[in-house]
Amino acid sequence: MDAGDRPGRLAVGVLGAGKVGSVLGAALAQAGHHVVAASGVSDASQRWAAKRLGVLPTRPEEVVKAAELILLTVPDDALPDLVNGLASTGADLQGKLLVHTSGAYGLSVLDPAARAGALPLALHPVMTFTGRDDDLNRITGISFGVTAPDPLRPIAEALVIEMGAEPVWIAEADRALYHAALAGAANHMVTLIAESQELLRGIGVEHPGIMLGPLLGAALDNVLRLGIAGLTGPVVRGDAGTVRKHVDALILAAPEAADAYIALARLTADRALAAGLLKPEEAERLLDALGGNIWT
């Protein structure tokens, strides 16, 4: 049986056919659902609607009218106004699946639409999308942070699995902390590595990515397998003199990076001490080198 002939196929509309919306719409289309309409404000969104989803961009009200499943893939700060706008303008939401992809929001942001008869789902893909053509391939095997009313859990699970991913259930009250954990790891890692590359270039390292790649790959593998027990480096060794040299060098080269280094070194020392990897006397020397106390 062809994917498009399977029962339960839905007409999909995308409100915000950007980096995320165009990819998830395409993933649902690969699963046999039918993308029938999409909207997008930017030139890139309109191109992606045509190229990835095979539809010409149209007005949001036309997307809602044509679809049975509506993806709300707009920036987090725009989501409440979008939902309120759909509800207040009297859009026909009765019985339609309304799916947002925000990590920080749960179901409550969809309450105005739910009161108008929409069926709310929060499906957040745990992946970074850059707008490149290979983004669609990145969905396979990833997790989705899912929040859904109990009667809709089977539908939420089926949609995620159809896209080749794994549903992980997140309680409504935990959405902000869940997203903070993800953003803290992924987004701040990018900032830290970009800063490291810039510092290395500044001292004449021509290809810092080649230098950092094996080190960072090993560090990531260690922490994913071992947690804090995979920690290496001067903090866990209690090398206070080395840590002080780092701080002094950074203060001269990049003061804003020095502030971040000190904050992260304190957190690292705190975690290492709690895990029994660092002795209290070593922690005290590190605190002196960092110029403050890690305990409150």
Side-chain angles (χ1 to χ4, degrees), residues 39-58:
S39 68
V41 175
S42 70
D43 291 341
S45 295
Q46 294 181 24
R47 288 197 305 272
W48 285 327
K51 180 179 178 181
R52 295 178 175 177
L53 304 178
V55 296
L56 294 176
T58 187

Side-chain angles (χ1 to χ4, degrees), residues 98 100 105-112 114 120-122 147-149 172 175:
L98 202 61
H100 80 68
Y105 283 109
L107 298 178
S108 61
V109 72
L110 299 175
D111 281 348
L121 298 176
T147 306
E172 175 81 10
R175 293 290 292 201

